[in-house]
Amino acid sequence: MVLVSAVRDYITRMVQDIPGMKVLIVDSQTVSIVSVVYAQSDFSKKEVFAVEKVDSMPSDPMLHMKALYFLRPTSENIQHLRRQLASPRFGDYHLFFSNILKTTQVQILADSDEHEVVKQVQEYYADFVAIDPYHFTLDMKSNHIYMLPTVLDPPSSQYFCDRAVDGISAVFLALKRRPVIRYQRTSDIAKRIAQEAGKLMYEHESGLFDFRRTETSPLLLVIDRRDDPVTPLLNQWTYQAMVHELIGIHDNVVNMRNIGKHRKDLQDVVLSSEQDEFFKMNMFENFGDLGMNIKRMVDEFQLLSKSNQNIQTIEEMAKFVENYPEYRKELAKVSKHVAMVTELSKIVEERKLMLVSQTEQELACNGGQVAAFEAVTKLLDEESVSDIDRLRLVMLYALRYEKESPVQLMQLFNKLASRSAKYKPGLVQFLLKQAGVDKRTGDLYGNRDLLNIARNMARGLKGVENVYTQHQPLLFQTMESITKGRLKDVDYPFVGNHFQQGRPQEVVIFIVGGTTYEEARVVPLQNASNTGTRFILGGSVVLNSKSFLRDLEEAQRVSRSSTVV
């Protein structure tokens, strides 16, 4: 069962099994969980009259309505419920929680229900945002926490770990599986999350996770974003990843309000593989092929609209009216994708991204320090290259050649500081401290392991079909190691006294610090390759270069202020 259908089934059961008019009440996180799998029109078909937020509900009584609460089981939400049950607005209350309720919380709810309006209390394990069938996020605030030592902010660090464990455990409860757990040895936070998830699944709630055993246990692998800092720094050239990098996607919605001038219906655009067939077919296509496919869609629409314009008889008119909703839907789809690609093209041109991206890909994929230094130096002097692109180029160079060329690296730091007014001093050095070669576990550039060296040479000899999409995230190698049974125990230890017998058929990889859409693209492609192993990818957030750099800056700021104190 894939993630979108798992969450959708929970929501369907919730709204379908309770007949009559009802109001759905959500919190700031469950609203995202619901919105990515259920459209507004789906709710109206199920007699859901309105959707309200638990912390900002109106006070007008609606005793003829039934209340469906879908909340995370937090102390804050339990307190909201206490107050609202004290003077009920609705006739019936049906309480659904996205994760495991504590016994004390159940007791508080029972004590608060003096008017006996609560008809049921259920746990529906959907404590994650299923943005695609094999990709989930936890939309976590303060994502920079993963870069900081626990001692700097123990409460925030604990909250970060707790939320990660909650999300991961809900995924496995929804899939009805209990995994063996491994983690990246060099990451303290990955180890902590893995161990706490293990305690929950095998000790505190072992009965809840006692599902029918499969021949080989599923695997949960917890890894750290800092093992591959290159992927979130690169420009992207496939549709979904490119939209997120250049404009931004949040819970499958693209906010176009501040980008160009668009009609009202194109200001918030939904990009969902479950709700849009064209997007589903093209989300992983590169920019060139995407342009051709959009042109084909426009041509088909023009044929459709022309045939509709020639209405001469009553029968034709009746037929047109009958087909009109479909025509209108097609028009909306065409408009949406044309607007999106138009804006992407403008940004690519304004920021000279084809020029910048070619050098980025060379830095990420190929050797040659002298040529790389010259290319980066030249781009730093280009007036049309933006500050953020200059910063990313220097970071990519630094990650690649930190040990080989300290003198040239210092020259680039100085040039960057003189060219970019917004450059934060020491940010590149802070990145190397966080994610430099001495901190990383994986073979990021494919130059440690003989097999990876051979693979890179073969790829170089064959040439690359598209110079802009030659990079493969480290995740691809990790997945390959899992399918071939080559993931080293010394680098990725097991939690507890577990070990893996045989190759796992189901694997959830959780990236502490966030996933990218480039990595999310690799997962369904790998799943389609018939290796017998199905992967699901999840993380604390979905990153683009801006949010990755923001996290880096915030972590640097907190580190500096704590040093000063």
Side-chain angles (χ1 to χ4, degrees):
M1 190 196 301
V2 290
L3 299 176
V4 173
S5 55
V7 177
R8 194 175 168 81
D9 286 352
Y10 278 137
I11 310 296
T12 300
R13 266 165 39 202
M14 200 188 300
V15 295
Q16 201 164 270
D17 293 354
I18 300 157
M21 294 294 279
K22 44 210 169 254
V23 175
L24 177 65
I25 293 118
V26 291
D27 62 36
S28 58
Q29 288 174 289
T30 56
V31 67
S32 296
I33 294 167
V34 169
S35 67
V36 295
V37 299
Y38 242 74
Q40 198 70 47
S41 55
D42 295 333
F43 279 125
S44 54
K45 287 173 195 164
K46 308 286 186 194
E47 297 185 284
V48 176
F49 168 76
V51 179
E52 295 178 357
K53 294 282 279 292
V54 70
D55 56 354
S56 56
M57 286 170 64
S59 55
D60 54 315
M62 303 177 83
L63 295 172
H64 59 294
M65 291 276 185
K66 294 169 183 175
L68 271 60
Y69 281 75
F70 180 51
L71 307 173
R72 294 200 67 242
T74 63
S75 307
E76 191 184 5
N77 282 337
I78 298 295
Q79 291 310 313
H80 283 311
L81 272 167
R82 263 183 94 168
R83 286 192 292 273
Q84 289 167 23
L85 288 171
S87 51
R89 274 181 71 208
F90 302 99
D92 291 351
Y93 282 69
H94 302 262
L95 310 182
F96 300 93
F97 291 91
S98 65
N99 217 317
I100 304 163
L101 274 169
K102 296 186 182 79
T103 311
T104 50
Q105 292 175 323
V106 176
Q107 192 57 54
I108 290 168
L109 291 173
D111 293 344
S112 306
D113 187 25
E114 289 177 14
H115 299 275
E116 297 186 352
V117 287
V118 176
K119 301 303 174 194
Q120 59 176 319
V121 178
Q122 301 263 15
E123 294 171 348
Y124 275 2
Y125 307 112
D127 207 5
F128 52 90
V129 182
I131 41 184
D132 282 313
Y134 301 102
H135 185 201
F136 72 91
T137 179
L138 302 182
D139 274 351
M140 284 164 71
K141 305 286 181 279
S142 303
N143 187 54
H144 69 281
I145 294 290
Y146 80 98
M147 297 189 200
L148 301 173
T150 305
V151 291
L152 283 189
D153 190 349
S156 296
S157 180
Q158 188 59 53
Y159 175 79
F160 187 95
C161 288
D162 288 348
R163 180 68 190 99
V165 171
D166 286 349
I168 291 165
S169 59
V171 166
F172 282 98
L173 286 168
L175 298 173
K176 296 182 169 53
R177 298 283 187 271
R178 173 159 54 186
V180 296
I181 303 170
R182 300 177 72 172
Y183 60 89
Q184 183 183 315
R185 178 183 52 80
T186 53
S187 169
D188 289 341
I189 195 155
K191 179 180 181 180
R192 185 173 164 193
I193 288 168
Q195 289 181 333
E196 289 185 16
K199 270 187 197 157
L200 180 81
M201 295 178 189
Y202 285 91
E203 294 173 34
H204 306 324
E205 297 290 349
S206 61
L208 205 53
F209 284 87
D210 193 15
F211 300 110
R212 186 171 57 83
R213 304 288 162 87
T214 49
E215 197 176 324
T216 54
S217 295
L219 170 65
L220 164 64
L221 176 65
V222 184
I223 58 178
D224 192 309
R225 174 75 270 162
R226 289 169 290 185
D227 217 33
D228 177 6
V230 168
T231 299
L233 285 171
L234 293 172
N235 265 302
Q236 298 299 320
W237 294 93
T238 56
Y239 194 16
Q240 186 183 38
M242 196 176 180
V243 172
H244 188 48
E245 174 57 30
L246 300 184
I247 303 173
I249 306 173
H250 183 67
D251 297 338
N252 291 348
V253 176
V254 183
N255 182 342
M256 305 264 284
R257 287 157 202 248
N258 301 320
I259 298 167
K261 290 182 179 175
H262 299 287
R263 305 193 311 254
K264 200 172 180 183
D265 62 319
L266 290 175
Q267 290 183 349
D268 286 310
V269 170
V270 176
L271 280 187
S272 164
S273 59
E274 296 293 300
Q275 297 174 27
D276 181 335
E277 192 59 31
F278 179 84
F279 182 64
K280 185 179 183 177
M281 300 296 289
N282 289 276
M283 60 197 282
F284 303 140
E285 290 291 340
N286 70 58
F287 197 50
D289 292 339
L290 173 68
M292 284 167 19
N293 293 346
I294 283 187
K295 170 141 190 355
R296 197 173 298 123
M297 178 174 66
V298 170
D299 290 345
E300 285 169 7
F301 178 71
Q302 280 183 322
L303 284 173
L304 175 74
S305 57
K306 276 176 190 166
S307 67
N308 280 338
Q309 282 164 10
N310 188 24
I311 299 170
Q312 294 177 346
T313 67
I314 299 289
E315 287 80 11
E316 284 172 348
M317 196 179 290
K319 196 171 181 186
F320 174 67
V321 171
E322 194 182 308
N323 292 335
Y324 188 73
E326 203 53 44
Y327 172 83
R328 196 166 51 195
K329 193 173 157 189
E330 195 67 19
L331 172 62
K333 184 178 80 173
V334 172
S335 304
K336 171 170 82 175
H337 294 292
V338 168
M340 197 74 65
V341 171
T342 303
E343 293 305 335
L344 293 177
S345 301
K346 280 184 198 165
I347 297 167
V348 166
E349 179 54 39
E350 278 165 17
R351 284 172 53 186
K352 299 290 178 276
L353 290 184
M354 294 186 95
L355 194 66
V356 172
S357 188
Q358 205 164 338
T359 300
E360 286 177 4
Q361 291 285 325
E362 287 296 313
L363 286 166
C365 305
N366 304 311
Q369 181 262 321
V370 175
F373 177 73
E374 284 175 8
V376 174
T377 304
K378 191 178 173 188
L379 284 169
L380 289 180
D381 284 328
E382 278 276 344
E383 292 300 327
S384 55
V385 174
S386 69
D387 282 352
I388 191 170
D389 293 326
R390 288 191 183 113
L391 175 59
R392 287 186 306 100
L393 284 163
V394 174
M395 283 182 163
L396 289 165
Y397 181 91
L399 287 164
R400 182 86 201 220
Y401 300 112
E402 62 177 300
K403 300 287 190 190
E404 290 177 46
S405 60
V407 174
Q408 286 94 332
L409 198 49
M410 193 51 68
Q411 288 175 352
L412 291 180
F413 290 159
N414 294 336
K415 188 175 268 291
L416 180 65
S418 67
R419 296 290 307 178
S420 300
K422 292 176 188 168
Y423 169 59
K424 305 279 190 302
L427 193 61
V428 186
Q429 292 91 323
F430 185 72
L431 172 66
L432 292 178
K433 191 178 163 190
Q434 287 285 328
V437 66
D438 297 336
K439 300 280 184 172
R440 299 194 298 263
T441 301
D443 190 6
L444 184 58
Y445 293 107
N447 53 11
R448 293 186 209 166
D449 181 276
L450 279 174
L451 200 70
N452 288 332
I453 292 167
R455 188 191 290 119
N456 283 348
M457 282 173 67
R459 202 165 61 170
L461 289 170
K462 277 191 302 188
V464 177
E465 197 179 317
N466 187 333
V467 70
Y468 299 106
T469 54
Q470 57 184 305
H471 175 256
Q472 276 184 337
L474 182 64
L475 181 74
F476 177 76
Q477 275 180 43
T478 308
M479 288 159 66
E480 217 172 38
S481 298
I482 291 168
T483 57
K484 292 176 179 172
R486 291 195 188 127
L487 199 68
K488 293 175 184 170
D489 292 8
V490 65
D491 290 332
Y492 300 96
F494 287 87
V495 169
N497 56 1
H498 301 285
F499 63 95
Q500 195 91 44
Q501 285 183 312
R503 189 180 64 189
Q505 293 176 322
E506 296 168 301
V507 180
V508 174
I509 299 177
F510 186 84
I511 305 182
V512 183
T515 58
T516 67
Y517 281 117
E518 186 187 350
E519 289 160 330
R521 173 178 177 266
V522 170
V523 174
L525 296 179
Q526 178 73 18
N527 287 347
S529 66
N530 299 320
T531 58
T533 303
R534 186 188 69 180
F535 289 90
I536 284 173
L537 176 67
S540 44
V541 296
V542 185
L543 294 164
N544 55 18
S545 62
K546 285 191 189 74
S547 58
F548 180 67
L549 291 170
R550 229 177 8 249
D551 289 342
L552 201 63
E553 280 180 31
E554 186 58 20
Q556 182 194 29
R557 187 192 65 75
V558 174
S559 299
R560 277 181 171 169
S561 59
S562 65
T563 311
V564 171
V565 171

